[in-house]
Amino acid sequence: LTKDWIGPSYSFFNPVPVMSHVNGQRFHAFSCCAKGCNQLIHCFLNKVDVKSTSNMWKHAKKCWGTETVEIVDQAKNATVAQESIIEPLRTTDSITAAFERKGKGKVTHT
């Protein structure tokens, strides 16, 4: 399944999930990488929607804010989002650190 964890939603979580089981049901638990957040998002492997990331997006909106989630959703993949948006936010706690102005043009993320 790790080859499928490339969507931007995964950038809000540590790349290596906890793998465990409850009552015979195996799951991956993704840990939010925001400072001070200990939230785990469980993805059960025996469900029809095993590849659904809706719970990740819901948590990301609560933890990181709608504006950040919308920007990350525009990223090409989780790696790009993690390196250019999430890491600067984690180190500076400011969304503006993830952006730069190109001349007098629009503000864009790199």
Side-chain angles (χ1 to χ4, degrees):
L1 283 175
T2 58
K3 67 182 180 299
D4 296 326
W5 299 339
I6 59 171
S9 60
Y10 291 96
S11 63
F12 295 105
F13 299 87
N14 292 317
V16 179
V18 173
M19 293 174 260
S20 192
H21 60 87
V22 172
N23 298 327
Q25 295 182 350
R26 294 182 317 150
F27 64 86
H28 292 140
F30 292 88
S31 174
C32 180
C33 65
K35 287 182 181 178
C37 183
N38 296 317
Q39 180 70 42
L40 293 173
I41 301 298
H42 295 87
C43 299
F44 285 88
L45 303 178
N46 64 336
K47 301 290 183 182
V48 175
D49 62 350
V50 68
K51 294 182 181 180
S52 174
T53 58
S54 62
N55 284 339
M56 291 177 152
W57 286 116
K58 286 177 190 174
H59 174 73
K61 284 179 184 175
K62 289 179 187 173
C63 199
W64 295 85
T66 302
E67 182 181 12
T68 303
V69 169
E70 288 172 357
I71 293 164
V72 167
D73 194 26
Q74 301 298 315
K76 183 174 151 183
N77 59 45
T79 303
V80 170
Q82 182 74 27
E83 292 172 355
S84 65
I85 302 167
I86 300 300
E87 279 306 314
L89 282 173
R90 290 183 70 208
T91 56
T92 65
D93 291 330
S94 169
I95 193 165
T96 56
F99 294 86
E100 63 181 26
R101 185 174 299 277
K102 305 233 187 242
K104 292 185 179 182
K106 295 173 102 176
V107 176
T108 60
H109 70 86
T110 56

